[in-house]
Amino acid sequence: MATRIRLQRRGRKGYAFYSIVIADVRAPRDGKFTEKIGTYNPNTNPATVDLDFDRALYWVETGAQPSDTVRNILSKEGVMLMKHLRSGVRKGAFDEAAAQAKFEAWKADRTKKLEATVGKLVAEKQAAADARLEEEKKQNEQIAEKVANKKAAEAAAKAEAEAAAAPAEEVEAAPAEEAAPEVAAEEAPANE
């Protein structure tokens, strides 16, 4: 029986979520499998992998052939490196302690790179949010300036209308005042 380590699709339409399974080559993609050794979620940034390291290493050493995507996942998780180091121990190139030290150094370096990547993503996200906030502030200032200009124009128009109405009232009031002294002047000689 040829054994394969491959992905089994789960999730919903447009949101794929995968199980990492050990299955016979002849079995359908989402069909019968021997063992589930982990999950893979490509929807997160970076992709989330939950893997049973010991079982994956066991199956790789037993001769199960990983698919291309699963090979990449196993390489990133260190399963393929550990297989390589264990074969070096069996051949006598170095001892178990040296192999474990090399693996721990690789794992620490990988963790540091992953944290740097996550930190970079968080910083980019924060910078984008700050840029959007600044753009929104600029737009709000422009809108406030337009509103202030519009209110100023309305106030100026209202003041001009009041100023235009006030001289007209003064003109109407002035003829009435001029007419009153003439009447008073005409009445004055009559009284004498």
Side-chain angles (χ1 to χ4, degrees), residues 130-144:
D130 291 343
R132 283 194 309 270
L133 183 64
E134 288 298 321
E135 184 64 30
E136 188 175 337
K137 284 181 181 179
K138 287 179 183 176
Q139 289 177 353
N140 288 342
E141 288 173 2
Q142 290 173 351
I143 290 170

Side-chain angles (χ1 to χ4, degrees), residues 157-168:
K158 187 176 180 182
E160 287 177 14
E162 289 177 0

Side-chain angles (χ1 to χ4, degrees), residues 171-187:
V171 170
E172 291 174 4
E177 289 174 6
E178 292 173 4
E182 291 175 5
V183 171
E186 292 174 3
E187 292 177 5

Side-chain angles (χ1 to χ4, degrees), residues 18-171:
Y18 299 94
S19 295
I20 303 171
V21 297
I22 310 300
D24 185 75
V25 174
R26 297 166 293 183
R29 180 193 71 183
D30 298 335
K32 186 177 177 182
F33 60 90
T34 307
E35 182 180 353
K36 178 180 174 182
I37 60 171
T39 59
Y40 169 63
N41 184 2
N43 302 305
T44 60
N45 192 4
T48 307
V49 176
D50 181 27
L51 183 69
D52 185 351
F53 187 86
D54 295 330
R55 291 305 294 169
L57 184 60
Y58 165 78
W59 281 104
V60 168
E61 287 180 336
T62 304
Q65 292 298 312
S67 65
D68 292 337
T69 306
V70 173
R71 180 177 284 110
N72 290 337
I73 292 169
L74 295 178
S75 293
K76 288 179 183 175
E77 292 298 312
V79 174
M80 301 307 271
L81 176 65
M82 185 55 103
K83 177 189 174 201
H84 174 71
L85 292 173
R86 281 193 174 177
S87 68
V89 169
R90 279 194 302 272
K91 292 177 183 176
F94 41 82
D95 61 347
E96 185 69 33
Q100 193 63 31
K102 285 182 180 184
F103 182 74
E104 292 300 326
W106 174 85
K107 195 172 185 181
D109 186 46
R110 180 183 177 273
T111 304
K112 189 171 81 172
K113 287 180 181 177
L114 185 63
E115 289 173 356
T117 302
V118 170
K120 182 180 176 183
L121 291 171
V122 168
E124 288 175 356
K125 190 173 184 180
Q126 183 64 36
D130 291 343
R132 283 194 309 270
L133 183 64
E134 288 298 321
E135 184 64 30
E136 188 175 337
K137 284 181 181 179
K138 287 179 183 176
Q139 289 177 353
N140 288 342
E141 288 173 2
Q142 290 173 351
I143 290 170
E145 185 178 328
K146 286 179 182 178
V147 168
N149 289 341
K150 186 176 180 182
K151 285 184 179 181
E154 288 175 358
K158 187 176 180 182
E160 287 177 14
E162 289 177 0
E169 289 176 5
E170 289 177 8
V171 170

